[in-house]
Amino acid sequence: MKTNKKRNPLLIVVVILFGIYASLYYLAESGYYDYKEYNKMIITEEAMKKFEDDVAAGKDITLDDYINIEYKDYSNNVSKLGLKTSETLENFVTKGIGSFFKIFSKLVTG
């Protein structure tokens, strides 16, 4: 005989969110983020040392040789759709509220 157990979707969501929280907490406590920041600091110190050596050697100095700016574009079709939707909604709400107050002010001043 089979028993048909139905799972509570709210419980599943809470368990998933708790799992995400626990993993992020573990990463923070284990020093993962501190280690990443420490590595960035070491790279910066190495760039400063290289800069100082180049100045002492009298070499031509350009900023691009010492600063590494990494720009990552995380946009995709979903994020572009979300941005377009929020801009459209913002315009709709702004115009709607403006129209409402125009009508309301005409009724009050009558």
Side-chain angles (χ1 to χ4, degrees):
M1 184 154 58
K2 280 188 171 178
T3 58
N4 195 6
K5 293 182 179 179
K6 292 187 178 181
R7 301 196 189 267
N8 186 355
L10 180 63
L11 179 64
I12 294 171
V13 170
V14 168
V15 168
I16 290 171
L17 288 175
F18 179 75
I20 293 171
Y21 169 77
S23 63
L24 290 175
Y25 181 78
Y26 173 75
L27 287 174
E29 288 299 313
S30 67
Y32 175 77
Y33 295 113
D34 293 336
Y35 176 72
K36 287 291 202 182
E37 292 301 315
Y38 176 75
N39 282 342
K40 288 180 186 177
M41 182 186 69
I42 289 176
I43 292 171
T44 303
E45 287 178 357
E46 290 172 355
M48 288 184 339
K49 176 84 170 126
K50 181 182 174 190
F51 173 77
E52 290 170 354
D53 292 343
D54 289 348
V55 168
K59 294 182 181 177
D60 263 346
I61 298 173
T62 60
L63 187 61
D64 296 332
D65 294 337
Y66 307 101
I67 295 179
N68 185 13
I69 299 174
E70 295 178 15
Y71 174 74
K72 294 181 183 179
D73 184 17
Y74 292 105
S75 64
N76 56 28
N77 291 336
V78 175
S79 65
K80 290 176 185 174
L81 176 67
L83 180 61
K84 186 67 176 168
T85 303
S86 67
E87 288 173 349
T88 304
L89 184 63
E90 177 187 4
N91 290 335
F92 176 74
V93 169
T94 303
K95 289 178 183 177
I97 291 174
S99 299
F100 171 76
F101 281 115
K102 280 183 184 178
I103 293 170
F104 187 70
S105 67
K106 286 182 183 180
L107 290 173
V108 170
T109 57

